[in-house]
Amino acid sequence: MHWNTRVRICASISALAIATTAQAQSQTSAQGAYASSATGLDEIVVTARRKEESLQDVPQVVNALPAETLDRLAIKDFRDIQTVVPGLNFEGSQNASLRGVSFNSNTSSQATVAFYLNDTLVQQGQLLQVMFDVGQIEVLRGPQGTNRGVSAPSGAITLTTKRPDLTEFGGYVDVLLNDQDRRYINGAINVPIISDVLALRVAGASDRNEGNGVRSYFSTTKPSVRTDAVRASLRFEPSEDFSAVVMYQHITRNSEQFDQLFGPGFPGQTPSIGALDRRAVADKASTLRSKFDVVTAQADWNVLGHRVSYVGGWSRQKSDQLNDSDNGQILIGPSIANLIHTNLRYISQELRISSDPAPGRFLDYTVGGFYRDERMQDDAFNRTPALFLNGAFGSVTAPNVAAYDPQYQIPQFIPTASLRREKSLFASFTAHLTPNTELTAGIRHLWIRNDSFLKIQLESGLGLTLGGLCPSSLQAPNPGPTPGTCSSAPTIVTVPPRSFTREQDTVYNVSLSHKITPDLLVYANYGTAYRPPYSSIGIQNGLNDPVLNGLLVHPSEHSKTYEVGFKGTFFDGRARLNIAYFHQKFKDLPTFVPNIRYLANTGAPGAASTLSNFSFTADPDAVVDGVDVDAWFRLTPRWTFSAQASWAKGRVASGSGLPCNDGNFDGTPDSIPVTSVAQFPAGVKVAICPGGNISQLPRWNATFQSEYTLPVTDKVDAYLRGLFNYFPKNPYATQARVIDNYGLLNLFLGARANDGAWEVGLYARNILNTQKITQQGLNQLTGGASNIALYRPLQRSTGYFSVDQTPKQEFGVTMRYAFGSR
């Protein structure tokens, strides 16, 4: 889309905004009082407690996003729900953070937020690829686990796909095009096979976009992400007492992208890159080829005054990721390939029996059992060069990168396999103490098994002789295939040994709620959560030092949460205000601490300690205090406004600490660099600083939404919508810089049929073109230089730091047509 087109779009948005504001003022003065039936806010129905009920009756914080909300704001990427759910943050495809606790999958621990597809537990990656034909998304805040699936200390996110309609044929097609070369289309067809008994719904999506939009100075590759998906759902209801839905979904995703950098580069070799340039210098883009398959099944049978329910699923995700380890261009021309192959299989099953709620019943209850089996299959691996030998770049003292010969290196092959198995029994009881007072208690006992095995296999490689002798860097050297060369024999090193744990634990929750009036609910909750033990990899000298060993082998985590809140509806249903305060205490919280200097040692006889860089996982005790606010207003029959905010202060508890870069070892992180082994005091392998933060997010953020509709005809409405996100100054994202405060404004305008048959709209994301850094790496990149032990001239920093920034300004159009059952 050209600049003049953008100007026309902005002008149209501004003109409509002025017109609709004036119209709103005139209508407000003329219409006076409103009947609640005509002006009240729409009721939101959620299934947070495994039953359909009004959001205002649920004694916990739930952010509900029905399909209509997602369509109104052109949300086509699952990650974009964070723009309407304050406090929620997605980083990459594996990391979701909520309620003041940052989760990083590099810790190898279980996630703090659980994900469910049609109430079936799935890996986060199953949801983050592409979003289409969605019924509703619910973000449940606070500890989860007594009511569904696994224990999760921060919350759960559920996505429900649209169910087949048993009576009416129909479908829809939805298209989005923008000036960032994105072409997104999705649609669905609903076919009743036997009226009122059996129906099939088939949906699909295709998404083409430029990903992060980062281009490299040393490559002509244009970044791209290509995703295709298909889903088939079958619904069967032979009687009023039995219903079942089975769904199968297949997704393929292929991407080519570069990591964004900034910094002066290396003089005379690589260019200077500004922090907001969206540039890279790698020779080749990182490629990712992924396939995702998932089957979910739900069945309910009403019998003898009870409901018997089954929820189960099977999923598999395979991926091959090829990265250029030299993304800072120490080696001009050669690419140092790092290949990661994953093959993850996931099974979950749940059977539950619950009383069929009836008016006047004092006690309702649910009992059941849950099972899950998560396996990283035996063929998963990571393959990368471990060591470049004499001959890889010609002369050791004057290397020539143009003479790179990959046969003179020792490849490192790391096969990985793991098993996580969980069994649990659970029960929940709700006592209706009075018509307006409810007491619920839930308990779940878990049996956990974790089994992982990692081995580092050094494969054979060639090296030139040094003074007629084989270099000592070769493992078990033998004469090479040609004169003047030596070859190494493969070796296998198991680090750390096989990790096998079995644990039992119990989590529970208690909730007391009372309706002071039909429109005002107050509640108090107490809940616990548990996450199983795990191990980290990659720490050299970890088994020989008690401090490093504590950062290698990690205990299980336990947490307790106290929460109070109220939910109120006011002004004849025209206003809604929900506020909650929580206090959460963690014991042994997995906390990711990137880029810390420490003393490494291979453990080989006579080997000296060397200064190395590592991203540690620590287990401090921690405390989080927070407040969640959700307010909605219908200012006029055609004008709504909402504000949501989330504040959370997460910090390491007194008496605990985190690994840190502390150059003078005074217990305070500082800018004094650790540059030599001699700086470490005797017996100290890594600096530990007391206190610290457990989240890289700002303490709070807020979201504001507004929509005004204007009748064009008796069948068509025009609309103007706005979405504004505000992020305050953030000193916690990285030690490298304080992130400035910023706001992002999105606008949407268009027209739609009152019966929902069609809609056409224009949108502008980040219309003010706000460009701010949101994350920056602490240390300069070294690319693949850490493996170039013989080549001292190549062991240097690149002059670049990793960096992330706010989304690009984006202009686009959306079109939707629907018929029959949608």
Side-chain angles (χ1 to χ4, degrees):
M1 186 177 293
H2 297 293
W3 172 249
N4 58 349
T5 305
R6 296 184 180 183
V7 171
R8 287 196 295 269
I9 292 176
C10 291
S12 300
I13 292 175
S14 301
L16 185 56
I18 295 171
T20 53
T21 300
Q23 181 73 12
Q25 293 173 344
S26 64
Q27 288 189 3
T28 300
S29 61
Q31 292 174 351
Y34 310 106
S36 61
S37 60
T39 63
L41 293 166
D42 295 335
E43 182 182 28
I44 299 176
V45 176
V46 297
T47 59
R49 298 195 292 177
R50 304 296 287 271
K51 60 182 180 180
E52 292 187 354
E53 54 188 333
S54 171
L55 173 66
Q56 293 301 97
D57 293 336
V58 179
Q60 69 181 90
V61 180
V62 180
N63 299 105
L65 305 174
E68 293 77 10
T69 297
L70 302 175
D71 290 337
R72 282 202 304 267
L73 300 177
I75 295 178
K76 309 301 182 184
D77 188 319
F78 191 90
R79 295 174 185 81
D80 287 342
I81 68 173
Q82 65 189 333
T83 64
V84 289
V85 181
L88 175 65
N89 178 262
F90 291 107
E91 184 179 348
S93 63
Q94 302 296 328
N95 304 328
S97 300
L98 186 65
R99 277 205 162 182
V101 178
S102 288
F103 172 73
N104 192 301
S105 60
N106 290 320
T107 63
S108 299
S109 65
Q110 185 172 297
T112 57
V113 178
F115 287 79
Y116 297 86
L117 176 61
N118 292 335
D119 242 358
T120 301
L121 183 69
V122 295
Q123 290 291 305
Q124 179 178 335
Q126 288 281 356
L127 300 185
L128 264 63
Q129 308 311 312
V130 64
M131 192 166 65
F132 63 106
D133 204 36
V134 173
Q136 183 156 292
I137 296 174
E138 297 176 17
V139 180
L140 319 179
R141 298 176 186 253
Q144 307 291 317
T146 60
N147 197 37
R148 60 160 46 83
V150 296
S151 177
S154 297
I157 300 178
T158 68
L159 185 150
T160 304
T161 62
K162 289 186 177 179
R163 294 161 60 94
D165 188 310
L166 293 171
T167 60
E168 187 178 8
F169 176 81
Y172 74 91
V173 61
D174 188 3
V175 177
L176 180 148
L177 306 172
N178 69 20
D179 64 336
Q180 307 299 325
D181 292 331
R182 186 176 189 184
R183 303 181 303 280
Y184 172 90
I185 181 170
N186 85 94
I189 292 290
N190 188 90
V191 181
I193 300 173
I194 302 175
S195 182
D196 297 324
V197 175
L198 183 66
L200 174 68
R201 186 179 185 89
V202 178
S206 176
D207 192 3
R208 303 289 186 269
N209 61 76
E210 65 170 7
N212 60 10
V214 176
R215 303 291 294 268
S216 175
Y217 284 106
F218 293 90
S219 174
T220 59
T221 300
K222 185 177 181 181
S224 65
V225 178
R226 304 174 298 281
T227 309
D228 296 291
V230 63
R231 178 190 301 143
S233 303
L234 190 67
R235 181 179 176 186
F236 178 54
E237 293 189 7
S239 70
E240 293 182 354
D241 295 326
F242 181 83
S243 65
V245 178
V246 178
M247 185 275 291
Y248 168 71
Q249 177 177 284
H250 175 73
I251 299 174
T252 60
R253 184 180 179 92
N254 300 313
S255 70
E256 292 184 282
Q257 300 187 84
F258 297 94
D259 294 330
Q260 184 176 351
L261 307 178
F262 97 98
F266 191 74
Q269 180 168 306
T270 51
S272 174
I273 301 178
L276 300 174
D277 289 351
R278 296 187 190 274
R279 279 291 196 168
V281 293
D283 291 299
K284 291 187 177 180
S286 294
T287 62
L288 180 62
R289 306 285 184 263
S290 303
K291 293 183 179 180
F292 302 84
D293 292 277
V294 61
V295 178
T296 66
Q298 301 167 280
D300 293 293
W301 180 32
N302 296 322
V303 56
L304 301 176
H306 290 76
R307 171 170 291 189
V308 180
S309 301
Y310 167 80
V311 177
W314 171 94
S315 64
R316 171 170 288 176
Q317 52 191 70
K318 293 183 176 182
S319 65
D320 289 287
Q321 183 172 2
L322 184 62
N323 302 319
D324 184 357
S325 298
D326 184 29
N327 58 353
Q329 276 290 25
I330 286 179
L331 312 176
I332 299 294
S335 295
I336 304 176
N338 178 32
L339 175 62
I340 303 174
H341 172 73
T342 60
N343 184 357
L344 182 65
R345 192 210 67 184
Y346 204 96
I347 295 175
S348 70
Q349 314 280 343
E350 181 182 279
L351 183 66
R352 56 197 292 133
I353 301 174
S354 56
S355 58
D356 196 1
R361 188 197 300 270
F362 174 74
L363 185 68
D364 289 313
Y365 57 88
T366 299
V367 296
F370 174 80
Y371 170 82
R372 70 160 173 156
D373 186 298
E374 176 185 342
R375 296 170 183 255
M376 183 66 75
Q377 304 291 76
D378 293 340
D379 63 341
F381 66 85
N382 183 340
R383 193 176 193 275
T384 188
L387 195 65
F388 293 91
L389 302 174
N390 185 29
F393 302 99
S395 169
V396 171
T397 56
N400 177 12
V401 295
Y404 172 58
D405 189 340
Q407 70 174 330
Y408 292 100
Q409 65 185 28
I410 298 178
Q412 177 176 263
F413 183 79
I414 307 176
T416 58
S418 64
L419 167 66
R420 288 183 179 178
R421 182 173 290 163
E422 177 178 331
K423 302 175 183 177
S424 63
L425 296 176
F426 60 89
S428 179
F429 302 90
T430 299
H432 305 280
L433 304 180
T434 73
N436 296 317
T437 306
E438 181 179 283
L439 176 64
T440 298
I443 187 170
R444 183 183 294 262
H445 187 76
L446 309 97
W447 292 267
I448 304 289
R449 172 186 171 183
N450 279 343
D451 190 358
S452 62
F453 182 78
L454 178 124
K455 60 182 179 181
I456 300 176
Q457 179 176 322
L458 301 178
E459 300 178 341
S460 61
L462 285 180
L464 296 177
T465 59
L466 295 173
L469 300 176
C470 292
S472 59
S473 55
L474 284 176
Q475 300 288 332
N478 301 301
T482 58
T485 66
C486 300
S487 65
S488 65
T491 62
I492 296 178
V493 181
T494 302
V495 181
R498 176 183 177 184
S499 173
F500 179 79
T501 59
R502 289 182 183 270
E503 284 200 356
Q504 296 186 47
D505 213 290
T506 302
V507 296
Y508 56 92
N509 79 292
V510 179
S511 175
L512 178 64
S513 62
H514 176 70
K515 282 191 173 182
I516 298 175
T517 71
D519 295 325
L520 181 60
L521 174 77
V522 295
Y523 65 89
N525 297 336
Y526 172 75
T528 67
Y530 160 89
R531 288 194 289 167
Y534 61 99
S535 298
S536 299
I537 62 173
I539 302 175
Q540 296 186 29
N541 204 30
L543 298 177
N544 301 319
D545 180 81
V547 175
L548 291 177
N549 186 61
L551 299 169
L552 183 69
V553 181
H554 307 278
S556 55
E557 173 212 273
H558 296 82
S559 65
K560 302 176 181 179
T561 302
Y562 307 83
E563 180 175 327
V564 293
F566 77 85
K567 295 186 172 185
T569 304
F570 309 95
F571 305 114
D572 295 327
R574 297 198 305 274
R576 184 166 63 234
L577 177 63
N578 300 338
I579 300 178
Y581 164 79
F582 68 92
H583 175 77
Q584 190 166 15
K585 299 173 66 175
F586 287 92
K587 177 67 175 176
D588 298 318
L589 171 69
T591 304
F592 187 68
V593 188
N595 301 321
I596 301 298
R597 297 294 178 95
Y598 81 109
L599 289 187
N601 193 306
T602 62
S609 294
T610 59
L611 186 64
S612 187
N613 202 60
F614 190 72
S615 294
F616 287 96
T617 298
D619 306 292
D621 296 341
V623 179
V624 184
D625 290 285
V627 177
D628 296 311
V629 179
D630 188 353
W632 287 79
F633 307 93
R634 185 171 290 281
L635 303 176
T636 75
R638 292 187 172 275
W639 186 12
T640 60
F641 174 81
S642 71
Q644 295 83 34
S646 179
W647 173 84
K649 182 180 180 181
R651 68 274 188 196
V652 174
S654 176
S656 292
L658 298 173
C660 60
N661 289 306
D662 180 12
N664 57 8
F665 292 86
D666 63 353
T668 302
D670 50 41
S671 58
I672 300 174
V674 180
T675 57
S676 71
V677 173
Q679 286 180 258
F680 285 81
V684 175
K685 306 300 182 185
V686 63
I688 302 293
C689 297
N693 292 288
I694 59 172
S695 175
Q696 283 73 57
L697 304 178
R699 289 280 191 244
W700 64 278
N701 71 295
T703 295
F704 305 92
Q705 298 181 56
S706 186
E707 175 176 307
Y708 185 80
T709 59
L710 180 69
V712 178
T713 70
D714 58 348
K715 296 183 179 181
V716 177
D717 282 348
Y719 62 80
L720 174 64
R721 303 169 186 141
L723 172 64
F724 181 73
N725 299 112
Y726 180 76
F727 300 88
K729 183 175 292 186
N730 181 14
Y732 315 109
T734 174
Q735 293 182 29
R737 69 164 64 210
V738 173
I739 305 302
D740 293 334
N741 64 301
Y742 64 93
L744 299 174
L745 176 62
N746 302 338
L747 292 179
F748 310 81
L749 70 86
R752 66 185 178 206
N754 293 337
D755 61 359
W758 59 267
E759 180 173 335
V760 177
L762 301 174
Y763 74 87
R765 288 197 172 98
N766 191 9
I767 192 170
L768 301 179
N769 199 24
T770 300
Q771 297 296 317
K772 297 285 186 178
I773 296 300
T774 59
Q775 183 63 265
Q776 177 187 321
L778 180 61
N779 297 317
Q780 289 189 36
L781 300 176
T782 57
S786 59
N787 298 327
I788 310 176
L790 291 178
Y791 294 85
R792 297 290 180 185
L794 299 181
Q795 295 186 51
R796 58 170 177 75
S797 293
T798 62
Y800 294 121
F801 299 84
S802 61
V803 68
D804 293 321
Q805 69 182 92
T806 49
K808 284 184 176 182
Q809 187 183 62
E810 175 186 328
F811 295 87
V813 58
T814 59
M815 296 168 283
R816 180 180 177 87
Y817 174 74
F819 61 96
S821 173
R822 299 166 188 136

